[in-house]
């Protein structure tokens, strides 16, 4: 299968996202042009390492690139101060210098954590993202948002630090558990919903075949990355348009917080439920027809994804408490809740003045659906 390239044009911080099957086996040839000396430090996690680390190191070795690797525990809990310290000190022990390159091999947790470690190490070293989850390939590995979670919330400490290269190997998605693949699909659908109705239409037809058809999967990743790259090029630091990428995220962050960032709700699952709620909210505010939220929910259901609050196992707090969690979201500006709403499929926009009582009623109804 051919390897496709999406350029991310950001002046001196420009880079390429390479997308295709077998890219890990070509990693040495892809990365060597970035190196001043043939040595890299890799950070990964213990679910990914047994699947892909040896292959990556062999590919580097084939180009004469020496590598050392740190394997951290898998899971969101790793995106914290303790593992940031551990990774940063390990990179220093490996004598990584400013001219060197760090490789982040893993999903969003490793990409965000190691991107941030690279941002602060020696005031900034270059890093390469090798995303191994669908979510990381279509979203978190592109655009330079890096950071960790703290007791106060998710991603509240971090930096914009663009990678020097992203290698999205479509083949690795085959080894993903079905639940993780579908969670990543939540972010794929988001691109159609926020700005490309034809992509959403295509997903309505082809979505169910993505997990088994590599060519379709590549097309979905490519279109998602193209959309993300375009948005990041126009608004790197989220002064405006980039906020559209947070479609569904205000609801999602509240639900993730309410479920303790646990296995009860994966981030991408929360995004999917959040997108369904954002369209429902848009309809209640008279911004779009009833057809739009119905189509969103129908497609998510057809994919076998979580769509409603009832699909989240266990108890949830009441509407008031969920609203309070939303108010803690970092997208709050001057105490007002910010939502990404839509005038239709593919027509999202930022709304800063959403009446709280409408949101509360929506949540109350959604929770009643859960109770019923
Ligand atoms: N994941 C949202 C963004 O990169 O802006």
């Amino acid at each position: 299968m051919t390897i496709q390239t999406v350029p991310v044009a950001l002046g001196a911080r420009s880079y390429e996202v390479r997308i295709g099957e077998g890219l890990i086996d070509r990693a040495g040839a892809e990365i060597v042009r970035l190196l001043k000396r043939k040595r890299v430090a890799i950070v990964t996690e213990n679910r990914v390492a047994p699947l892909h680390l040896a292959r990556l190191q062999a590919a580097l070795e084939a180009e004469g690139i020496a590598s050392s690797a740190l394997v951290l525990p898998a899971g969101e809990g790793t995106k914290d101060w303790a593992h940031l310290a551990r990774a940063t000190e390990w990179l220093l022990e490996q004598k990584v210098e400013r001219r060197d390159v760090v490789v982040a091999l893993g999903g969003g947790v490793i990409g965000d954590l190691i991107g941030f470690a690279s941002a602060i190490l020696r005031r900034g070293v270059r890093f390469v993202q090798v995303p191994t989850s669908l979510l990381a390939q279509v979203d978190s590995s592109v655009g330079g948002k890096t950071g960790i979670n703290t007791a106060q919330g998710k991603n509240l400490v971090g930096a914009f630090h663009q990678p020097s290269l992203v290698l999205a190997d479509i083949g690795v998605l085959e080894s993903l558990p079905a639940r993780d693949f579908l969670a990543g699909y939540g972010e794929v659908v988001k691109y159609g919903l926020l700005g490309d109705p034809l992509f959403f239409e295509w997903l309505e037809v082809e979505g169910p075949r993505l997990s088994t058809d590599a060519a379709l999967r590549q097309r979905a990743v490519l279109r998602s990355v193209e959309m993300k790259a375009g948005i990041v090029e126009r608004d790197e630091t989220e002064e405006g348009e980039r906020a559209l990428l947070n479609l569904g995220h205000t609801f999602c962050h509240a639900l993730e917080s309410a479920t303790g960032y646990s296995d009860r709700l994966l981030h991408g699952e929360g995004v999917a439920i959040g997108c369904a709620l954002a369209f429902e909210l848009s309809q209640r505010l008279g911004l779009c027809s009833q057809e739009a939220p119905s189509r969103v929910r129908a497609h998510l259901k057809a994919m076998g994804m979580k769509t409603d609050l009832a699909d989240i196992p266990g108890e949830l707090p009441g509407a008031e408490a969920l609203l309070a969690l939303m108010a803690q979201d970092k997208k709050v500006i001057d105490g007002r809740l910010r939502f990404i709403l839509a005038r239709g499929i593919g027509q999202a926009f930022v709304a800063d003045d959403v009446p709280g009582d409408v949101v509360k009623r929506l949540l109350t109804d959604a929770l009643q659906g859960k109770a019923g």
Side-chain angles (χ1 to χ4, degrees):
M1 198 177 299
T2 48
I3 291 173
Q4 291 167 296
T5 304
V6 179
V8 185
L10 291 168
R13 295 177 309 290
S14 297
Y15 55 98
E16 289 182 344
V17 182
R18 304 268 286 151
I19 302 166
E21 201 148 7
L23 266 166
I24 289 187
D25 299 311
R26 297 182 33 90
E30 298 281 338
I31 290 173
V32 73
R33 63 191 162 83
L34 299 175
L35 304 182
K36 304 255 183 336
R37 60 172 166 170
K38 288 189 164 185
R39 214 179 89 177
V40 296
I42 304 166
V43 185
T44 185
E45 44 100 318
N46 60 9
R47 275 190 321 189
V48 167
L51 296 172
H52 310 303
L53 179 58
R55 218 149 59 82
L56 174 61
Q57 291 193 290
L60 294 166
E61 185 63 45
E63 291 293 325
I65 303 167
S67 65
S68 54
L70 172 67
V71 182
L72 296 174
E76 190 75 26
T78 294
K79 235 176 94 171
D80 67 357
W81 287 111
H83 290 93
L84 177 68
R86 167 104 182 80
T88 311
E89 285 173 14
W90 179 80
L91 290 168
L92 288 171
E93 282 158 22
Q94 301 309 301
K95 305 203 175 358
V96 173
E97 296 175 8
R98 285 204 66 185
R99 62 189 173 146
D100 290 328
V101 168
V102 173
V103 178
L105 171 70
V109 167
I110 288 294
D112 284 9
L113 176 77
I114 300 314
F116 188 36
S118 303
I120 58 176
L121 188 77
R122 300 187 186 279
R123 299 198 178 84
V125 300
R126 292 168 302 152
F127 79 115
V128 173
Q129 292 265 26
V130 186
T132 56
S133 69
L134 179 58
L135 186 141
Q137 292 194 354
V138 299
D139 182 35
S140 59
S141 68
V142 181
K145 276 192 183 174
T146 72
I148 57 168
N149 305 326
T150 61
Q152 291 75 14
K154 277 186 72 162
N155 299 326
L156 292 180
V157 175
F160 284 102
H161 186 53
Q162 299 292 343
S164 298
L165 175 68
V166 181
L167 299 177
D169 185 335
I170 301 298
V172 305
L173 302 179
E174 262 154 43
S175 55
L176 284 183
R179 186 177 176 198
D180 288 339
F181 185 84
L182 278 185
Y185 186 79
E187 298 279 4
V188 174
V189 163
K190 184 190 76 177
Y191 289 107
L193 294 178
L194 74 87
D196 188 346
L198 290 180
F199 184 45
F200 181 75
E201 272 175 38
W202 182 81
L203 290 171
E204 283 181 308
V205 177
E206 304 290 8
R209 293 206 294 139
L210 287 196
S211 60
T212 50
D213 186 317
L216 293 177
R217 206 157 57 228
Q218 177 150 342
R219 208 167 143 193
V221 173
L222 178 74
R223 182 63 195 133
S224 300
V225 171
E226 280 173 352
M227 286 195 69
K228 175 129 193 198
I231 290 171
V232 168
E233 284 172 356
R234 293 187 292 275
D235 179 20
E236 184 181 4
T237 53
E238 201 170 312
E239 308 297 321
E241 184 186 355
R242 185 163 179 168
L244 298 182
L245 295 172
N246 298 320
L247 177 63
H249 282 62
T250 304
F251 289 108
C252 170
H253 287 158
L255 293 171
E256 282 185 291
S257 171
T259 50
Y261 304 100
S262 70
D263 223 27
R264 283 172 64 196
L265 185 73
L266 303 180
H267 176 70
E269 294 174 335
V271 170
I273 295 174
C275 284
L277 287 169
F279 271 81
E280 178 68 28
L281 180 58
S282 304
Q283 189 270 322
R284 288 187 181 206
L285 291 167
L287 294 163
C288 68
S289 70
Q290 178 54 53
E291 194 214 346
S294 300
R295 259 179 84 189
V296 175
R297 293 183 74 252
H299 177 54
L300 297 177
K301 278 199 181 304
M303 291 296 296
M305 298 175 73
K306 289 188 170 63
T307 314
D308 300 305
L309 299 190
D311 298 327
I312 303 171
E315 295 287 306
L316 286 177
E320 191 80 53
L322 285 175
L323 207 59
L325 289 171
M326 285 181 193
Q328 274 172 26
D329 193 287
K330 68 180 184 300
K331 273 99 197 169
V332 173
I333 294 181
D334 295 336
R336 288 174 306 168
L337 272 179
R338 161 181 276 206
F339 281 92
I340 311 304
L341 298 177
R343 296 196 173 84
I345 285 174
Q347 299 173 60
F349 67 99
V350 182
D352 285 319
D353 50 359
V354 178
D357 58 327
V358 181
V359 181
K360 196 172 155 196
R361 221 170 308 129
L362 170 67
L363 288 168
T364 305
D365 294 346
L367 286 163
Q368 246 156 30
K370 183 169 172 58

